[in-house]
Amino acid sequence: MQQTMSQPATNAPRTGAPGADRAFQWLTLLMALSVFALIALIGYELMRGARLSLHHFGWRFLVNSDWDPVNDIYGALPAIFGTLASSVIALLLAVPLGIGTAIYLTELAPLWLRQPLIMFIELLAAVPSVILGFWGMSVLVPWLRTLLFPWLQKLFGFLPLFQGPAGSGFSLLAAGIILAIMIVPIITSVSREILRSVPGLQREAAYALGGTRWEVTRIAVLSYAKKGLFGAVILGLGRALGETMAVMMVIGNSPQIVLKLFAPASTMASVIANEFNETPPAGLYPSALFELGLVLLGVTVVVNIFAQLLLKTFAGPSVKPQP
Amino acid sequence: MPAISPLTPIRASDHTAGTHGTALTARNLSVFFGQHQVLKRVSLDIAARAVTAIIGPSGCGKSTFLRALNRMHELTPEARMEGDIRLFGEDIYARHVEPVVVRRRVGMVFQKSNPFPTMSIAENVTVGLRLNGLRDKTTLTERTEQSLRMAALWDEVKDRLHAPAISLSGGQQQRLCIARALAVQPEVLLMDEPASALDPLATSHIEELILELKRNFSIVIVTHNMQQAARISDFTAFFYLGELVEFGPTNKVFMNPEKRQTEDYVTGRFG
């Protein structure tokens, strides 16, 4: 210790600091590790709950299209179909909207408009799922039934996708629209970050060749960023796959596989949330729901890891001067 | 576009340079970024088929001057200009003139090489032509070779035209960017410190290339390197604090400058 230290008293607590520091480090490490433990535990519990169903149905669970609690026969295919179909509809609507908005925000919008727009998009992300579902039930569904469905049928009625009775409005399309609204913010904000990371020099190169704004965006920005944008889309897909509440409220909850936009359907998440309260405490029925959860968890984990990998490896195909 | 006739080679020191008339005329050019005036009433003639070097300490407005010559400065928000710039007599800031058209006639090469990383070497060369709507395969192939030859890169890349542009070395990438700018056959080529990120060998390649290119193109180059300006330019303009201090044949500016500031700068007393 240095003699010049004016207040030796302050050194006293310092001598204890290394021990406390180490404890702090261990404590935070433990907290961080608990995340892994939680995921493992969730996986394990789902597996345990699904044991009966796994044993009983085996792989047939994934390809069986009957979901029939009365006869105790459970197949995941209708829910898997509904999950994928509603997510695809959501992506078809949300990807152009989200990426288009991101392009406007980074490339075209006047500076004063950018911040307010970004704020509104983030606000949209903050709307609770149940509120969106509520709006979907009370506004969107009646509107689909009375206006959009008849109109679409008049225009595209020759396509099987648009045929069939217009029904109640509770439908695959309603779920797709609600999901689209929910994933537009994440697609927009991740795409915006990606586009912002495109070097200005790339844009200048295209401008200097006499490119118009659209041409510059196309050849210098979008092609540079496409991998990252794909990551943003997959991240949106991950969100859409697992979304429960709002979807359950508008999809009509019918375990059928009908490739028609106006037909009701169900998703893995909506089936679980909808039926779990009604199941007996033990038996094949709750076990099948557990297995459905296991499938959903597996799919979303894989999709999310894929998205993260895409976004991580997008440092851009960098232009590095070599020695 | 001026007719390209067979020319006798012109040396950097040759005072007959600039006898091909004037490519660009700037009159009372002022540029503002918001409230900040970056260029103050600069008047300057850029000789056709000659190399004009712009020198001066950092922040003197030389890059801004360069970017005003093809309206690139307009990409900066809140940029505003006053004055008059004419390209072979034509007002490039006239109301009916699109910046896009100006930039196709006045090409630009940047400090850091910036090839499009997702495109091949050949695609990088032809991207400007394709933007102009040129689709014909044979013409595109011809122009690719022609531009790469002009950029002294052809022999190094002719066997791998479809390799990614970023597989090239730094110096090669910069020559590729020059080829890309040349492919659209601009009348003027602006170069913003094109060799400052390169090693000495790559730099000498670029310098030789510039001397070769001035047979057909009018070149304006911003440089921090006094020796480089002396080696390759026919005319030199010295900018300081947004003003044009001195402009004349390079020999005169370096050997016998009229202004004290110029002398101090070119002899390295400040900068």
Side-chain angles (χ1 to χ4, degrees):
Chain A
M1 282 296 116
Q2 288 182 345
Q3 292 287 314
T4 47
M5 280 281 191
S6 49
Q7 285 177 317
T10 54
N11 281 342
R14 275 226 157 278
T15 52
D21 236 19
R22 203 163 304 138
F24 179 62
Q25 194 187 343
W26 282 107
L27 187 71
T28 46
L29 176 69
L30 209 66
M31 289 172 175
L33 284 179
S34 67
V35 177
F36 293 102
L38 267 176
I39 292 179
L41 205 65
I42 291 170
Y44 170 75
E45 280 298 329
L46 280 175
M47 204 95 87
R48 213 167 58 101
R51 208 169 37 195
L52 198 60
S53 167
L54 279 167
H55 184 73
H56 192 86
F57 297 112
W59 288 108
R60 276 177 300 135
F61 184 75
L62 294 177
V63 292
N64 184 358
S65 56
D66 286 319
W67 183 266
D68 187 356
V70 179
N71 294 312
D72 233 15
I73 294 170
Y74 304 100
L77 203 56
I80 293 174
F81 162 80
T83 307
L84 293 180
S86 58
S87 296
V88 166
I89 296 170
L91 285 184
L92 287 176
L93 297 171
V95 167
L97 198 60
I99 293 183
T101 309
I103 290 173
Y104 181 69
L105 283 172
T106 50
E107 309 296 321
L108 303 168
L111 290 176
W112 59 268
L113 192 60
R114 295 186 185 191
Q115 225 35 59
L117 268 176
I118 290 164
M119 206 191 71
F120 273 109
I121 290 161
E122 277 161 11
L123 222 71
L124 186 59
V127 175
S129 168
V130 69
I131 303 287
L132 267 179
F134 199 47
W135 172 82
M137 284 173 85
S138 55
V139 179
L140 179 66
V141 163
W143 179 75
L144 287 177
R145 181 180 58 230
T146 53
L147 281 170
L148 192 68
F149 285 176
W151 183 73
L152 279 177
Q153 245 168 358
K154 205 179 295 169
L155 278 177
F156 303 107
F158 56 91
L159 294 169
L161 196 60
F162 293 90
Q163 283 165 3
S168 61
F170 291 93
S171 56
L172 209 51
L173 185 60
I177 292 173
I178 287 284
L179 279 175
I181 296 171
M182 300 185 76
I183 64 174
V184 154
I186 178 124
I187 292 180
T188 307
S189 57
V190 176
S191 301
R192 196 176 71 91
E193 287 304 316
I194 297 290
L195 295 182
R196 266 157 45 110
S197 71
V198 175
L201 260 174
Q202 288 288 315
R203 295 185 181 84
E204 295 213 320
Y207 274 119
L209 290 169
T212 60
R213 279 186 161 188
W214 159 241
E215 288 165 342
V216 171
T217 305
R218 185 168 59 84
I219 66 172
V221 181
L222 292 182
S223 72
Y224 189 97
K226 60 187 166 200
K227 194 171 167 193
L229 292 177
F230 191 57
V233 170
I234 299 298
L235 207 61
L237 175 64
R239 284 285 165 89
L241 290 173
E243 177 47 43
T244 311
M245 184 47 81
V247 171
M248 190 180 86
M249 291 165 84
V250 299
I251 199 167
N253 299 310
S254 164
Q256 57 174 358
I257 304 177
V258 183
L259 196 57
K260 296 197 188 318
L261 290 176
F262 311 145
S266 65
T267 68
M268 291 186 262
S270 73
V271 169
I272 296 170
N274 213 23
E275 303 185 13
F276 196 71
N277 273 341
E278 302 160 11
T279 59
L284 211 47
Y285 194 7
S287 184
L289 289 179
F290 270 109
E291 191 173 352
L292 212 50
L294 200 61
V295 175
L296 179 58
L297 182 71
V299 172
T300 47
V301 164
V302 168
V303 166
N304 273 299
I305 288 175
F306 183 50
Q308 296 296 349
L309 281 179
L310 278 173
L311 290 172
K312 199 144 288 170
T313 53
F314 174 78
S318 57
V319 193
K320 35 181 177 285
Q322 290 157 4
Chain B
M1 185 145 212
I4 295 170
S5 55
L7 288 167
T8 48
I10 303 165
R11 299 205 180 287
S13 52
D14 194 337
H15 272 280
T16 59
T19 52
H20 301 282
T22 305
L24 279 161
T25 342
R27 287 291 172 267
N28 293 320
L29 178 68
S30 296
V31 175
F32 306 79
F33 292 127
Q35 297 297 312
H36 180 54
Q37 185 168 8
V38 185
L39 275 187
K40 294 166 186 164
R41 302 178 66 81
V42 172
S43 295
L44 187 60
D45 285 354
I46 305 290
R49 284 185 243 157
V51 178
T52 303
I54 314 277
I55 60 171
S58 299
C60 67
K62 54 191 191 306
S63 280
T64 304
F65 175 74
L66 198 71
R67 294 166 71 88
L69 295 180
N70 69 344
R71 299 182 66 169
M72 283 291 279
H73 75 287
E74 291 176 6
L75 300 176
T76 314
E78 299 188 30
R80 187 165 56 84
M81 70 82 82
E82 285 169 7
D84 183 86
I85 297 179
R86 285 172 192 275
L87 173 61
F88 291 102
E90 217 179 308
D91 182 1
I92 64 169
Y93 283 89
R95 193 170 286 270
H96 64 275
V97 176
E98 295 278 337
V100 168
V101 177
V102 174
R103 291 179 200 138
R104 282 175 193 183
R105 295 177 61 187
V106 183
M108 191 160 194
V109 174
F110 300 84
Q111 187 172 356
K112 269 181 70 183
S113 62
N114 53 358
F116 297 119
T118 53
M119 294 184 195
S120 69
I121 294 168
E123 285 169 338
N124 260 283
V125 177
T126 56
V127 61
L129 295 168
R130 283 180 284 128
L131 284 184
N132 280 324
L134 190 68
R135 287 283 173 274
D136 182 53
K137 277 261 168 62
T138 15
T139 320
L140 286 173
T141 316
E142 276 171 22
R143 289 284 197 93
T144 307
E145 176 171 348
Q146 188 191 11
S147 310
L148 284 169
R149 279 190 190 282
M150 282 197 285
L153 190 58
W154 174 252
D155 290 333
E156 291 159 59
V157 302
K158 64 184 174 200
D159 299 322
R160 46 174 178 150
L161 289 173
H162 301 291
I166 44 173
S167 64
L168 298 174
S169 73
Q172 289 173 324
Q173 285 188 18
Q174 189 62 305
R175 277 178 283 152
L176 177 63
C177 293
I178 294 173
R180 181 176 64 187
L182 295 177
V184 292
Q185 300 180 319
E187 292 149 69
V188 180
L189 191 59
L190 309 176
M191 303 178 121
D192 194 351
E193 302 188 43
S196 67
L198 302 178
D199 62 59
L201 187 64
T203 301
S204 73
H205 279 144
I206 300 280
E207 289 183 4
E208 283 164 25
L209 174 59
I210 291 170
L211 289 176
E212 195 60 36
L213 288 175
K214 74 169 178 179
R215 294 157 170 245
N216 297 328
F217 299 94
S218 315
I219 294 171
V220 189
I221 177 170
V222 162
T223 178
H224 258 118
N225 182 332
M226 291 310 115
Q227 286 79 29
Q228 184 172 67
R231 278 194 299 264
I232 62 172
S233 71
D234 305 295
F235 299 93
T236 296
F238 172 57
F239 280 61
Y240 185 59
L241 296 177
E243 289 179 74
L244 176 63
V245 176
E246 184 155 354
F247 176 54
T250 296
N251 272 349
K252 185 165 183 312
V253 172
F254 277 87
M255 300 302 185
N256 190 17
E258 277 169 20
K259 302 271 173 57
R260 180 67 193 274
Q261 277 170 318
T262 315
E263 192 181 343
D264 286 350
Y265 186 71
V266 298
T267 54
R269 251 169 282 178
F270 88 100

